[in-house]
Amino acid sequence: MKPDAIVLHHSFTKDQQTKDWDAIRRYHTSWRFNGNIISPEQAQQMISQGRKVEAPWSDIGYHYGVEQVGFEYLVIAGRPEDIKGAHCSQNGMNSHSLGICFVGNFDLAPPPYPQWQQGLTLVANLCRRYYIPVTRIYGHRDFAQKTCPGTQFSVQAFCMEVHSLL
């Protein structure tokens, strides 16, 4: 995959100051029903009953995460950059964009400044590496009926700050 865009997300969960990225990966790579992880045996039984379950993905859906671990914010790798994502199926974005997930619920409050800064540095570096213009940085909400990356996450302000770093 040759990315030409970046899609910003939030996990819509509270950042617990532990490595929540592992929990997100576990969720994405497990059988799921109504938003809950189920065992492979439960999934097969439900499938045989004609119920719709979500199959595991090959890996976490995002290419990167930005989250608090202990007292610092880290950028954590997800899928390799050259592998199609599973973060924004609308408009075929998975096949040509990088997905960045900020761990937290930014419908409730804006991202903490240190997390914002880590995200800015990451996105600016990705823009430089892949020659992605700032006009190709999107919120998931630009493609789906969601608030993602959160009502209190200003994608416009984020893009302006990325631009100042380029």
Side-chain angles (χ1 to χ4, degrees):
M1 177 184 78
K2 169 83 170 80
D4 65 4
I6 295 171
V7 180
L8 305 175
H9 302 266
H10 68 152
S11 64
F12 202 65
T13 59
K14 184 175 191 253
D15 193 342
Q16 302 295 318
Q17 297 183 345
T18 60
K19 201 162 178 205
D20 297 307
W21 195 245
D22 291 338
I24 295 169
R25 176 173 269 127
R26 190 170 41 259
Y27 178 79
H28 286 177
T29 60
S30 297
W31 288 94
R32 302 172 303 278
F33 179 72
N34 285 343
N36 297 305
I37 294 175
I38 59 175
S39 72
E41 296 77 23
Q42 288 172 305
Q44 293 310 314
Q45 182 181 26
M46 294 172 85
I47 290 168
S48 70
Q49 297 168 346
R51 297 171 84 182
K52 184 173 171 35
V53 297
E54 291 181 73
W57 298 345
S58 62
D59 196 357
I60 195 166
Y62 310 107
H63 294 92
Y64 289 97
V66 184
E67 76 162 314
Q68 185 175 8
V69 179
F71 296 104
E72 62 183 337
Y73 283 90
L74 304 175
V75 171
I76 302 173
R79 285 184 185 225
E81 293 174 7
D82 61 339
I83 303 294
K84 177 182 173 180
H87 59 90
C88 183
S89 61
Q90 299 82 11
N91 293 53
M93 293 304 288
N94 283 332
S95 63
H96 62 94
S97 68
L98 295 171
I100 312 297
C101 181
F102 289 77
V103 177
N105 183 345
F106 305 117
D107 282 343
L108 302 177
Y113 182 75
Q115 184 179 30
W116 181 267
Q117 286 299 118
Q118 285 284 19
L120 288 172
T121 301
L122 168 64
V123 171
N125 288 336
L126 292 170
C127 287
R128 276 190 220 98
R129 184 178 322 143
Y130 292 106
Y131 304 100
I132 298 171
V134 174
T135 56
R136 301 277 299 152
I137 300 170
Y138 303 102
H140 190 191
R141 64 180 168 238
D142 293 323
F143 303 100
Q145 294 275 307
K146 298 177 178 259
T147 62
C148 191
T151 56
Q152 298 204 37
F153 188 113
S154 173
V155 175
Q156 181 180 11
F158 188 85
C159 290
M160 288 173 54
E161 289 192 49
V162 168
H163 184 265
S164 72
L165 296 174
L166 297 176

